[in-house]
Amino acid sequence: MKILGIESSCDETAVAVVTGDREILADLVLSQTDSHALYGGVVPEVAARAHMQHITQLTRKAMAEAGLKGFQELDAVAVTAGPGLIGGVMVGAMMAKAIAAVHDLPVYGINHLEGHALTPRLVADVPFPYLLLLASGGHSQIVAVKAVGAYQCLGTTQDDALGEAFDKTAKLLGFGYPGGPAVEKAAAACADLEKARQDFPLPAPMVGRPGCDFSFSGLKTAVRRHVEEHAQMDAADKAALCASFQESVRQVLYDRMTNAARRFYGLFPEAKNPHLVAAGGVAANQMLRGALAAVAAENRFQLTVPPARLCTDNAAMIAWAAAERIAAGKPPDGLDFRVVPRWPLEALL
Ligand code: KG4
Ligand code: ZN
């Protein structure tokens, strides 16, 4: 079974072909980073136009890379139907609907978050139920994944997403967009974490509180205050501030995920050595991986983190989510399926 996947909900135009047995035949991602760098963030209108400009060629290229001569060789078409920047989502959805209509193929309007949530099963044998940390530019959620279409949110952010906190910190330090990788790289240059914490003290919001929710806006504000107080920050100061920022995030993740691990065993008392998985762009971060490794080791979970290119936005995860839906016996969507800017995981069937 071969499925074409299309993703255009943010600033990556992506097209992939994935098989029902986890083979990735093509996986193309065209990043618009340069178009948005000028503005320090994603501009929805710019994104939609860029998707429109590139999606046809990228689809042709993905089909060729997958060794397919025509769309009739596909078994299904999958596309992100939300949540996301609606102009971009519409571009992808129209492309998918056109292909499906002309070639009489079933079409699946996939929830972008479900794509992230099921990605670990594309790369490893991860049985249900498992515990998921989804951390991206738009979302920070801790989810119990019970089955395809059955997701229970254990915690979410009360304000900013974790990726957003990285991006805003980077912007304050003049690192440009996307900020996550730049902040991680700068932090790696700091040799003395203890001194960094003293020079640039930062809060670790929510640590010690019950539950699994996040809050990152206070951390962002504290970073801004440091930047305002230090008129001239050299590279070493920036490295120290980034290291201190990451240390706060590490403490938050460790605390929140420890609570989530306990909650998970409460929900699934018979779970034996279940999987703890990470997804979303921030899962590419080594500090995050370290925090999760500690939680997994202390709570008898097996840690699975997909390779970085499958953690950030891609279309293989969208095609794979459709493969999972097909295997679970879920029906395709009609050609009249709607696209939506907001679509919580828990609303899925
Ligand atoms: O999942 P994703 O590609 O797009 C969204 O759906 O948001 O996530 C992008 C986010 C950005 O905020 C980016 O700064 C962050 O993931 N990110 C990172 C790293 N790589 C990407 N954050 C921290 N460390 C990284 N290495
Ligand atoms: Zn995403």
Side-chain angles (χ1 to χ4, degrees):
M1 190 175 54
K2 298 184 183 75
I3 302 166
L4 178 74
I6 298 175
E7 154 64 39
S8 57
S9 66
C10 192
D11 61 340
E12 262 97 26
T13 316
V15 184
V17 181
V18 172
T19 73
D21 10 292
R22 309 207 290 214
E23 222 183 316
I24 300 176
L25 302 180
D27 178 18
L28 302 179
V29 180
L30 194 73
S31 179
Q32 306 172 2
T33 308
D34 294 347
S35 320
H36 301 288
L38 199 60
Y39 308 99
V42 179
V43 184
E45 176 65 24
V46 173
R49 283 166 192 259
H51 288 306
M52 188 74 196
Q53 193 182 342
H54 298 296
I55 202 159
T56 314
Q57 274 301 76
L58 203 68
T59 303
R60 283 220 178 93
K61 206 168 155 207
M63 291 292 291
E65 269 194 24
L68 301 178
K69 292 188 189 68
F71 294 115
Q72 70 280 0
E73 290 187 42
L74 292 167
D75 296 283
V77 183
V79 63
T80 299
L85 303 174
I86 203 67
V89 176
M90 283 166 68
V91 171
M94 287 316 297
M95 184 76 191
K97 287 184 181 192
I99 294 169
V102 172
H103 299 278
D104 202 17
L105 291 167
V107 64
Y108 289 80
I110 298 293
N111 180 303
H112 179 88
L113 303 175
E114 182 172 52
H116 280 303
L118 295 174
T119 298
R121 288 166 55 86
L122 170 59
V123 292
D125 292 316
V126 178
F128 299 117
Y130 56 88
L131 180 60
L132 165 77
L133 170 66
L134 174 57
S136 71
H139 303 274
S140 302
Q141 285 180 24
I142 304 174
V143 181
V145 181
K146 299 176 185 174
V148 177
Y151 310 97
Q152 183 175 345
C153 192
L154 305 184
T156 187
T157 182
Q158 296 175 348
D159 38 62
D160 295 353
L162 181 51
E164 210 178 332
F166 270 93
D167 292 336
K168 285 180 177 162
T169 297
K171 194 171 177 183
L172 284 164
L173 294 173
F175 286 162
Y177 178 87
V183 170
E184 178 170 30
K185 193 161 160 237
C190 169
D192 190 343
L193 180 59
E194 214 172 298
K195 183 161 186 307
R197 293 293 279 174
Q198 281 165 9
D199 292 348
F200 298 99
L202 291 171
M206 307 299 275
V207 167
R209 292 219 212 155
C212 309
D213 280 345
F214 296 104
S215 166
F216 292 111
S217 75
L219 180 56
K220 171 190 69 187
T221 307
V223 168
R224 184 184 321 118
R225 214 166 289 135
H226 281 305
V227 174
E228 282 165 3
E229 280 167 14
H230 293 71
Q232 288 289 315
M233 287 182 83
D234 61 16
D237 293 330
K238 290 183 181 181
L241 179 52
C242 288
S244 182
F245 168 81
Q246 285 211 128
E247 174 56 19
S248 282
V249 174
R250 191 194 62 75
Q251 291 175 12
V252 169
L253 289 175
Y254 176 82
D255 181 87
R256 304 286 85 191
M257 290 306 293
T258 298
N259 286 0
R262 292 182 186 146
R263 199 62 214 282
F264 185 88
Y265 279 114
L267 289 170
F268 310 101
E270 56 298 358
K272 284 222 163 46
N273 221 3
H275 283 255
L276 169 59
V277 309
V282 192
N285 186 286
Q286 293 302 323
M287 167 280 301
L288 176 143
R289 290 174 184 228
L292 292 192
V295 174
E298 288 164 21
N299 296 279
R300 290 172 288 109
F301 275 80
Q302 300 178 56
L303 181 62
T304 302
V305 186
R309 66 168 288 123
L310 290 175
C311 285
T312 50
D313 285 350
N314 65 87
M317 70 178 190
I318 302 305
W320 176 248
E324 290 265 31
R325 294 201 144 252
I326 292 167
K330 310 230 179 233
D333 293 292
L335 276 175
D336 57 350
F337 76 79
R338 299 188 2 155
V339 293
V340 280
R342 288 179 198 286
W343 188 4
L345 263 181
E346 283 185 308
L348 284 175
L349 297 171

